[in-house]
Each structure stands twice: as structure tokens, then as C-alpha cells.
Amino acid sequence: MTHRIDFPGLLFAVNLDGRGGAVEISPAQLQQELQRDSLTWVHLDHTAPGVDRWLREVAGLDEVVVDALTFDESRPRCAPHGDGVILILRGVNLNPGQDREDMVSIRIWLDRHGVISMRQRQLKSPGQVQELLLAGHGPTNQGELIVTLTNLMCDYIADVVNSLEDAMDELEDTVLT
């Protein structure tokens, strides 16, 4: 269950405890937490007004990172930048009434202060990782967070690929008979 925090564009923010758990962060705590050495994960909806300004002014990100996180079109990539990494991934679209082949992106900034992730359309995996963290069964560091998120995204992709393979097998059987 994703907990909503009263801040435009903020879907959730947590501080990882290094033991698989996390605590939620209030909007008022965000700027301070992003400057600490603790691992903070902030997940935002980049379509909300003011998010790009928040990224610059509160999170202190430069224009290259802000553009990579908020640009409407994205291509999957991993690009080191300064003291961090820009990571853009795509997952299957499982939103109701939409084509699953219409991939959904998640844009991620990682640096020593934490992780900032962005979405334009809903993706199930970030909320699932948040649930694991709040239950005390999640990743313990940035690397594990990215691996857990990516593994969940790959599981959904595998489900779609398996269903397509099953449909192809049925078509092949129909053609052969």
C-alpha cells in the first residue's frame, strides 16, 4: 500500500534503516534528509506542477539531471553524471485499459544522499518495494534497492512474455490442425 504524503507530485519518501526497513519522511523533513548521509528514497510523479523546481531548489539537482528525470520521452540508459548516476528503465504497462506493450518508464537519480525516482504513469514495482521496506523486509542499501526494483519489473515482463508465448503456441496448434 503506497502512503500518500501531502505534497504535489510526492508519491512517497522513506529513509532506509540499513536492515531492510524504512520509515516514512514528511515533506518538511525532505530537504534535511537529502543532505544527510542516511539513505533516502523519494518517489515522485513528474507530471505534477512544480516538481522540476523542487528537484532544482530542494533536492539541489543540476539541469542535466532534472532534464533526464522530467523529459517526456525517455530511452532506457545508465549514465554516470558527476557524483551520481542517471538510470532510466522501462517496464510493461499494467494500467487498466492500456496496452501492456506501451512501456512505462521510471527515471532514477542515485547519489551518496539517496535515490530520487520519477514516474509519469503508474508502475507497480516502486510501491511494492516501499511495502517491503515498511514491513522490514526490503533492501538495505542503494544497490539492493535498484536490484529489487529491477527484479520486480523483470517479473512483470516475464509474465507478459510467458502469456504471449502461450498465445503463440495456441495459434501454432490451431494452424497445424
Side-chain angles (χ1 to χ4, degrees), residues 21-120:
V23 293
E24 289 187 298
I25 302 169
S26 73
Q29 297 170 300
L30 270 178
Q31 185 171 12
Q32 179 182 7
E33 292 300 322
L34 288 170
Q35 303 307 316
R36 291 184 41 207
D37 285 334
S38 62
L39 177 55
T40 302
W41 179 22
V42 180
H43 187 55
L44 302 164
D45 179 346
H46 96 77
T47 63
V51 168
D52 56 343
R53 194 178 91 220
W54 183 90
L55 291 169
R56 275 187 226 91
E57 295 175 8
V58 177
L61 302 181
D62 68 35
E63 286 301 315
V64 172
V65 177
V66 173
D67 288 347
L69 295 178
T70 61
F71 194 64
D72 284 336
E73 296 298 318
S74 65
R75 61 175 173 74
R77 68 181 179 273
C78 179
H81 179 75
D83 292 335
V85 175
I86 299 166
L87 180 62
I88 300 178
L89 305 171
R90 286 193 185 159
V92 292
N93 189 346
L94 299 174
N95 294 309
Q98 297 186 8
D99 292 330
R100 55 188 181 187
E101 292 84 15
D102 185 17
M103 303 294 273
V104 177
S105 69
I106 182 167
R107 299 101 187 273
I108 301 169
W109 169 250
L110 298 109
D111 67 11
R112 65 184 173 87
H113 299 294
V115 176
I116 297 175
S117 57
M118 309 278 291
R119 62 124 166 142
Q120 182 174 9

Side-chain angles (χ1 to χ4, degrees), residues 144-165:
E144 286 183 17
L145 190 148
I146 298 302
V147 167
T148 303
L149 182 65
T150 304
N151 280 340
L152 288 168
M153 292 173 66
C154 287
D155 288 346
Y156 286 118
I157 292 170
D159 290 345
V160 170
V161 169
N162 288 338
S163 70
L164 291 172
E165 286 177 349

